[in-house]
Amino acid sequence: MKIEGVVFDWAGTIIDFGSLAPMGAFVSLFSRHGVPISIDQARVPMGLPKLDHIRALGAMPEIGQAWRAAHGGQDFTDRDAQTLLLEFEPMSAEAAWQNRAFIPGFLNTYDWLKSRGIRVATTTGYTRRIMTPVIEYARALGFTPDAVICCDDVLRSRPDPMGMFACCEAMGLKPGAHIIKVDDTAPGIEEGRNAGCYTIGVAASGNAMGWSLSEWENGDPSKRKEALAVAEQRLRTAGADLVLASVADLPQAIERMEQAQGQYESSGSAA
C-alpha cells in the first residue's frame, strides 16, 4: 500500500513544540473571570474545537464549583462559553503567533512528502480568525498544503471526521488507510480514525507531554524517557496506530510501512 496523503494537525504537531500557546490563553481567560485553573486542567480537553474546549473546562467539577463561587452561585452555561470564546480568540491568536515556529524537522518532512508525490493537508482545533496570520507566516516559509480546515470551517469538528473529509476532497483522494492523520491529541487521533484513515501520534512535541523545546533538548534524560513513555501510552490509548516522537520521524516511518506492506504482498503472491 502506497501512502498517498498526510493530514497534519498544527499546534503540538507541526508548530508550537509542547502545544504551549493554548494553555496560557485558557488559564488567563478563566483567571479574568475569577476562576483559577491549572495548566494540567487546561490540557485535558486539548484537541477539541476551542468552543467545545471551553465548554469542557466549565463542565469539570472543580472548575464548575470555582465558577459558582465567583459568580454568585450561578452555574457555568453555554452562554458563558460563547462569551468566553469571544474573549479567547484574540488572546489565543496572539499566543499562537508567538508560538508559530515549526517543529524541528517538519519542513524537511514536508519537502520529503512532496518529493514522493504525497499530498498534504491540515486540520486544526483553532478557529479561522486565530489561524489566518499563522497560515500566512507558514506559507511565506514554503508550507502550502492543499487545505487548512479550521474548526469553524465545518459543521462538526473533531472528533467528527468532517474536517478529514474536507481535506481528502482538497487532496483529490478518497478517505482510507492510504491517508495518514498525524496529531498530538486524542480528539485529533479520533478524527482520523473516524474517517477510516491510518493514525500516527506525535508524543514528544505535543500536548500529551507538554514540554517546551528547551525542556526536551536539555532535560534530564531519565525524566525525559519517563515522560515520553507516559505520552506515548496516552496516544496509544486514544487509538493511534503508531506513535512517533515528532514529525521529523515521519519519512522513516512511511518507508517502513510501505516496505513491510510490499514484503507482505510479495509473500502473499508467492503463496
Side-chain angles (χ1 to χ4, degrees):
M1 175 186 66
K2 183 183 185 302
I3 299 303
E4 298 181 24
V6 176
V7 178
F8 292 103
D9 170 54
W10 283 77
T13 300
I14 65 173
I15 63 168
D16 186 9
F17 196 104
S19 194
L20 304 178
M23 300 308 105
F26 281 123
V27 170
S28 297
L29 176 68
F30 276 83
S31 178
R32 282 184 176 188
H33 294 266
V35 180
I37 70 172
S38 68
I39 290 290
D40 287 343
Q41 287 174 318
R43 284 195 182 279
V44 172
M46 190 61 189
L48 291 174
K50 294 301 172 266
L51 178 59
D52 290 340
H53 193 135
I54 293 169
R55 287 169 173 152
L57 290 174
M60 289 182 182
E62 304 90 342
I63 295 176
Q65 182 178 357
W67 183 273
R68 286 189 292 273
H71 294 266
Q74 298 296 312
D75 288 335
F76 186 84
T77 66
D78 192 65
R79 183 175 181 178
D80 293 322
Q82 297 280 355
T83 298
L84 262 60
L85 178 65
L86 294 178
E87 292 183 38
F88 176 81
E89 282 193 312
M91 297 167 61
S92 185
E94 176 61 25
W97 178 252
Q98 293 300 327
N99 291 274
R100 66 191 181 277
F102 282 120
I103 302 294
F106 169 68
L107 287 177
N108 289 336
T109 291
Y110 178 55
D111 288 340
W112 183 88
L113 293 170
K114 289 194 298 181
S115 74
R116 295 284 292 263
I118 298 173
R119 308 302 294 265
V120 174
T122 65
T123 67
T124 176
Y126 281 138
T127 63
R128 178 66 55 178
R129 179 182 178 189
I130 294 169
M131 279 298 298
T132 295
V134 178
I135 294 168
E136 293 173 354
Y137 165 81
R139 184 181 295 117
L141 293 183
F143 180 48
T144 56
D146 289 320
V148 178
I149 305 300
C150 300
C151 66
D152 52 348
D153 291 336
V154 290
L155 180 62
R156 295 185 302 277
S157 188
R158 307 167 174 184
D160 191 278
M162 272 192 173
M164 287 294 296
F165 294 154
C167 284
C168 291
E169 182 176 359
M171 294 188 292
L173 301 171
K174 292 182 179 180
H178 58 290
I179 295 175
I180 298 174
K181 175 65 195 300
V182 185
D183 210 292
D184 67 304
T185 68
I189 294 295
E190 291 174 37
E191 177 186 41
R193 288 176 59 84
N194 288 337
C197 299
Y198 191 88
T199 57
I200 294 181
V202 285
S205 66
N207 181 71
M209 190 158 173
W211 287 26
S212 69
L213 180 58
S214 177
E215 289 172 326
W216 170 251
E217 293 179 335
N218 303 308
D220 177 82
S222 62
K223 292 181 180 179
R224 183 170 57 199
K225 182 178 180 181
E226 180 181 347
L228 183 61
V230 172
E232 289 173 343
Q233 186 55 50
R234 286 177 180 170
L235 290 166
R236 291 192 188 95
T237 300
D241 295 301
L242 177 67
V243 179
L244 305 174
S246 81
V247 290
D249 303 318
L250 185 61
Q252 295 88 345
I254 291 176
E255 287 180 337
R256 290 194 298 269
M257 290 166 59
E258 292 184 339
Q259 182 179 22
Q261 184 66 25
Q263 291 172 347
Y264 173 80
E265 290 173 350
S266 296
S267 175
S269 297

